[in-house]
Amino acid sequence: MFKNLGLQFKISAVILLPLLIMMIISSLINIMIVNDELETQALIYLKQSVEAQAANAENVLKTEYNYLKTLASSVSDLYNVGIRSRDSYSELIDYYILNMPESMTGVALIFENNILDNDADYINDALYSSVKGQFGFYKSKNGSGNVATQSISDADLKADYNTVPKQTRKDYITSIYNYKVNGQDVKMYTWAIPIIDKNNNYLGVVTADVSTSDIITLMESIKPYPQSEVILFDTAGRLVYSRETNIDIETTLYDLFPSQREAGC
């Protein structure tokens, strides 16, 4: 009898052992599939979350861009209908300054030499003498909410936001830079839109200085997980935002991630 039981046990073991192994393997596969599914869902959530915030940041940039694009078009329209009075262009910019997006700190208008009139007639004018009578100025809101007008300098004429649109006839945005406001460094960038007349002649450029505060606020809201870290670089690969305050503003993408240079990114 015991021999029969032993034989039955051996037969049962032979039959059941593969089944048990198959069940264990099946359970492991199920666990792996579930884990993969959870990981996939987490990645999808992360992707959607980041894409939504990126869209918000894009909308901020579009608002600034569309504002300045409309301003450039208005300047061109004035020129196309034969308006050559400097005061008319100044009043137009005043109107836009009073209605500019909050992220903007000021707007500049720079015309090429002798586009409106004879620049030599304005060499001794306090507003234009710094650039030998050339028509150009910078406007912003003062503490009372009124428009304040400043002269431009020779440095503005040589700056990339003036020279690049002239060379390319394309819209341009600078890299991020530090600018002193009330003694504090404020991260800024500058939009520049070329002004082209109806005959495709280059007239000048209109620019807007923009604070990065709105974009940084959006970056700080991107935190799908407690350990998430967000780093934002501009088109030149320079650091715009990082939660790590010890990272210098001059840091580049390749400084933090050398492998990206090797990968050709």
Side-chain angles (χ1 to χ4, degrees):
M1 179 178 178
F2 291 106
K3 289 182 179 179
N4 290 335
L5 284 175
L7 179 60
Q8 290 178 3
F9 176 78
K10 289 180 180 178
I11 295 173
S12 298
V14 170
I15 296 173
L16 292 177
L17 188 58
L19 291 176
L20 288 171
I21 292 173
M22 291 175 64
M23 290 176 63
I24 293 171
I25 292 174
S26 177
S27 297
L28 289 174
I29 291 174
N30 286 335
I31 291 171
M32 290 171 64
I33 291 174
V34 170
N35 285 340
D36 287 344
E37 182 65 23
L38 289 174
E39 183 178 352
T40 300
Q41 291 298 324
L43 290 174
I44 290 173
Y45 168 76
L46 177 61
K47 180 174 180 289
Q48 291 174 341
S49 175
V50 172
E51 284 179 345
Q53 294 300 335
N56 290 336
E58 184 178 1
N59 287 334
V60 170
L61 292 173
K62 282 183 177 179
T63 298
E64 300 160 356
Y65 173 76
N66 290 336
Y67 163 88
L68 200 60
K69 195 74 173 176
T70 302
L71 174 51
S73 178
S74 297
V75 172
S76 179
D77 289 342
L78 274 186
Y79 187 87
N80 288 334
V81 298
I83 303 297
R84 299 295 184 267
S85 165
R86 295 191 174 197
D87 289 341
S88 296
Y89 292 90
S90 180
E91 290 170 5
L92 173 67
I93 303 301
D94 286 349
Y95 170 79
Y96 274 88
I97 287 293
L98 294 174
N99 296 278
M100 68 181 177
E102 292 184 4
S103 57
M104 289 186 175
T105 61
V107 169
L109 175 64
I110 304 174
F111 269 35
E112 289 296 287
N113 290 317
N114 301 312
I115 287 291
L116 288 184
D117 43 33
N118 186 5
D119 291 348
D121 295 338
Y122 296 87
I123 288 180
N124 296 320
D125 188 299
L127 184 58
Y128 308 114
S129 60
S130 59
V131 287
K132 301 178 181 178
Q134 185 172 341
F135 182 47
F137 50 71
Y138 183 85
K139 291 178 179 282
S140 59
K141 285 183 183 179
N142 59 25
S144 303
N146 299 317
V147 179
T149 305
Q150 301 171 244
S151 300
I152 61 172
S153 66
D154 189 57
D156 291 309
L157 299 181
K158 296 176 181 177
D160 57 346
Y161 48 77
N162 184 50
T163 60
V164 174
K166 180 180 179 179
Q167 294 167 356
T168 64
R169 294 194 170 206
K170 294 181 180 179
D171 306 333
Y172 177 70
I173 184 170
T174 69
S175 298
I176 304 297
Y177 58 88
N178 277 332
Y179 185 76
K180 290 286 186 183
V181 177
N182 297 323
Q184 300 292 322
D185 281 335
V186 177
K187 292 179 181 179
M188 309 276 289
Y189 57 90
T190 299
W191 276 108
I193 310 293
I195 305 167
I196 310 295
D197 73 3
K198 60 184 178 181
N199 297 317
N200 202 34
N201 296 313
Y202 181 83
L203 304 179
V205 65
V206 61
T207 74
D209 294 332
V210 187
S211 167
T212 62
S213 58
D214 286 352
I215 291 180
I216 288 177
T217 297
L218 287 172
M219 293 300 102
E220 290 177 342
S221 69
I222 302 177
K223 200 171 182 65
Y225 302 105
Q227 295 80 21
S228 299
E229 293 184 9
V230 177
I231 301 176
L232 177 65
F233 296 90
D234 64 19
T235 55
R238 296 186 179 90
L239 180 70
V240 176
Y241 168 78
S242 171
R243 287 195 178 98
E244 296 294 331
T245 56
N246 61 339
I247 301 179
D248 188 78
I249 190 172
E250 296 299 326
T251 300
T252 68
L253 172 66
Y254 297 137
D255 292 332
L256 293 180
F257 307 103
S259 59
Q260 297 300 308
R261 186 191 299 275
E262 298 171 3
C265 297

